[in-house]
Amino acid sequence: MKFRKDKYILRFFGMSLSMILLGTIISIFIKSMFFIGGGLILGGFVLLVSGLYVSTKPIEYFMPDERIKKNTAIAGYHAFWLVLLIITIFNMIEMSSPSSVKYLDASTVIMLVGVYSFLSLRWYYNKKGGLE
Amino acid sequence: MKLINNKRYTVLVVLGLVNIMIGLAEMLKIIPYSGTATPGVSMMGAGIIILIIGLYLSRTPESESMPDERTMKRDMKVQSSTFGIILAYVTLLLLMDVSWSSNSINMGDFFLIFSRPEDMSVLFSRYMSIIFVAIISIVALTFYYNKKGDMK
């Protein structure tokens, strides 16, 4: 198996290795922020594995064409309005009712709705074909 | 004079009128309300703005009021980028909350510029700050992509 060694891949590997290193340092020396260190190590490993996969393919393989760019833009456009709607609902609840929604709980909902709606909408528009 | 030429935007006019009526009903205590904010005034304000936009759009010819291909493409690109900014900001706020709230530093106060009376605190909540970031991003990115010209 042949690996690519251009500057993009090296930058990718550099980033993932430095994330793992930084995460390890944070986990060892700053005990109160171990979850950030753990997250950095996990993210670094994911980047490393995806970088290894990407380096086996030619660079043209990952270039998005016009159609994929358009689908991503339209999925992001709809996901944006969904996320804004969710945030507005939380804001209305906080403004108009005595009980408030804690941000720690609400942020998870916002992120889940945003990411999953974006992914499913992109899948839908890829399947649907031509956009109006 | 005909008030509505373009029926497509009648829904905006109706929505504005409904908003104003609900706001009035809340202010006249027909709808009971026990919260701290004043939704009646806000709803009436929003209703008046929607009504004016609806009346303006329903008076303009369809060829002028409909966005062209370039504007639609630009808006999609802008709002898609804003979506990423919002997700990053929500994650940042969450990290700030998790990191600092346990040490009793309330990062909600980070967004306050002036010392506030207590009943204004809801205006500076985290949700409002997200909406604020979204609006600023949309304005800035629209300006940027308009200036940049051709979408790549």
Side-chain angles (χ1 to χ4, degrees), chain A residues 62-127:
Chain A
F62 294 100
M63 290 288 188
D65 59 359
E66 191 62 33
R67 182 177 164 276
I68 296 199
K69 274 186 189 169
K70 206 171 174 182
N71 284 346
T72 310
I74 199 163
Y77 166 77
H78 290 296
F80 164 73
W81 283 110
L82 268 174
V83 165
L84 210 62
L85 181 74
I86 295 281
I87 294 169
T88 313
I89 289 170
F90 282 135
N91 193 36
M92 292 290 275
I93 291 172
E94 184 155 303
M95 276 179 88
S96 57
S97 87
S99 58
S100 67
V101 185
K102 275 171 76 181
Y103 182 74
L104 276 178
D105 306 327
S107 61
T108 320
V109 177
I110 294 168
M111 278 193 276
L112 281 178
V113 167
V115 170
Y116 282 103
S117 61
F118 176 69
L119 289 177
S120 50
L121 281 167
R122 205 172 54 170
W123 174 80
Y124 169 71
Y125 284 118
N126 263 336
K127 216 170 165 57

